[in-house]
Amino acid sequence: MKKILLVEDNEMNRDMLSRRLERKGYDVVVAVDGQDGVDRAARELPDLVLMDMSLPVLDGWEATRRLKATPATGHIPIIALTAHAMAGDREHAMGAGCDDYDTKPIDLARLLTKIENLLARHARG
């Protein structure tokens, strides 16, 4: 079972998405802010991270930069999740080290395709 770390501060979004991912067969670990996400990623070593970009304590951009700069977590694929769908936001997320980008509200089918593609690409090395 693949492990996904969901870093999301909104309880309703976190609960809804974690339940839906678990129903699809993923082991979901949650973090409630950017620093918690960095710490949990180091402890849990998930197969993939779903990173909200607007987080308290440490925003998603900085949390992503820290994960990608750390040898133990730098290889973990990260998908940015954001309600900010403005021009340049995708480039900003990718520039921080995210491997993909998706907008809120979440389209589960689209997100699952991105998750499966990144996990398959990561498995191939």
Side-chain angles (χ1 to χ4, degrees):
M1 181 181 295
K2 295 290 186 182
K3 184 186 297 186
I4 294 177
L5 171 60
L6 172 60
V7 187
E8 169 64 68
D9 63 319
N10 180 289
E11 184 177 3
M12 190 173 70
N13 291 345
R14 190 173 56 238
D15 291 347
M16 180 273 306
L17 188 52
S18 63
R19 279 196 314 270
R20 293 172 86 186
L21 290 169
E22 286 168 351
R23 280 198 300 268
K24 294 294 182 181
Y26 293 104
D27 178 18
V28 180
V29 178
V30 298
V32 297
D33 63 54
Q35 186 60 57
D36 188 26
V38 170
D39 296 343
R40 287 187 188 266
R43 277 196 313 272
E44 300 280 344
L45 297 176
D47 297 291
L48 183 134
V49 175
L50 296 174
M51 181 74 72
D52 181 25
M53 301 317 277
S54 298
L55 294 165
V57 182
L58 189 66
D59 68 36
W61 290 281
E62 183 58 27
T64 296
R65 282 190 282 274
R66 291 184 187 186
L67 289 173
K68 290 298 186 173
T70 302
T73 57
H75 68 284
I76 299 171
I78 299 174
I79 298 176
L81 298 178
T82 183
H84 305 289
M86 307 295 284
D89 284 341
R90 178 182 174 79
E91 292 74 19
H92 188 203
M94 303 303 266
C98 291
D99 298 275
D100 207 337
Y101 172 92
D102 206 14
T103 56
K104 295 178 181 178
I106 298 297
D107 174 323
L108 188 62
R110 182 181 64 211
L111 181 60
L112 285 170
T113 297
K114 291 179 180 200
I115 290 169
E116 291 162 8
N117 288 341
L118 275 174
L119 289 173
R121 197 173 344 148
H122 185 68
R124 289 192 301 268

